[in-house]
Amino acid sequence: QVQLVESGGGLVQAGDSLRLSCTASGRTFSLRTMGWFRQTPGKEREFVAALAWSGGSTYYADSVKGRFTIYRDNAKNTVYLQMNSLKPEDTAVYYCAARSGYYSASYYNYDYWGQGTQVTVSS
C-alpha cells in the first residue's frame, strides 16, 4: 500500500502564496500519477493539478492555470503545489492523491489519498 501525507496549508490573504507538500511512502514503485484535488462542504471533490512521474508532464484545471504549479522532488518522493495569487475562491481542503494508472482528472480514478490540509484565503 501507499501512504500520502500533505502539509503546508494555512490562513492567508488574497494575493498571497502557499506551497503544499505531499510525501509518498510505502509501495510507491507502482505509482504513475500524482494529483491535487480540493473540496468544500457540499461540493464535489474538484481536480486542481496532476503530474506524471515518468516524464514529468503536468496538467491543470482551468481555474488555477497560470497561478498554481505542480512539481516534484523525485529523491524525496514528494510532490508540491505552489499556489500564487490566491483568491477566496481557492479556499478548500486540499487533498493529495495518487494512482497506478495514467493521468486522470477524475477523483474516483485515484487509489490513494492523503488526509487533507486546509487552505483558507481571506479577502
Side-chain angles (χ1 to χ4, degrees):
Q1 295 298 309
V2 173
Q3 297 80 45
L4 305 176
V5 178
E6 308 105 324
S7 63
L11 173 62
V12 298
Q13 293 183 328
D16 285 352
S17 298
L18 282 174
R19 189 183 74 166
L20 307 183
S21 300
C22 174
T23 298
S25 61
R27 304 176 71 88
T28 60
F29 178 81
S30 64
L31 300 179
R32 289 179 174 170
T33 307
M34 301 290 293
W36 286 97
F37 293 77
R38 64 189 183 187
Q39 189 168 26
T40 56
K43 306 294 184 181
E44 291 186 343
R45 193 160 295 190
E46 176 189 16
F47 171 75
V48 176
L51 177 150
W53 281 113
S54 179
S57 297
T58 57
Y59 311 87
Y60 297 95
D62 289 340
S63 60
V64 306
K65 196 172 299 181
R67 297 189 298 122
F68 292 8
T69 302
I70 185 171
Y71 63 100
R72 62 184 173 177
D73 185 335
N74 288 330
K76 297 181 179 180
N77 287 327
T78 298
V79 173
Y80 304 93
L81 184 68
Q82 178 66 46
M83 305 185 293
N84 297 328
S85 301
L86 282 162
K87 305 175 181 179
E89 303 93 279
D90 297 317
T91 296
V93 177
Y94 283 71
Y95 295 92
C96 178
R99 70 187 303 254
S100 59
Y102 294 109
Y103 161 75
S104 173
S106 300
Y107 71 88
Y108 48 81
N109 286 141
Y110 284 77
D111 304 306
Y112 308 101
W113 293 89
Q115 81 286 356
T117 185
Q118 176 71 46
V119 173
T120 302
V121 184
S122 66
S123 60

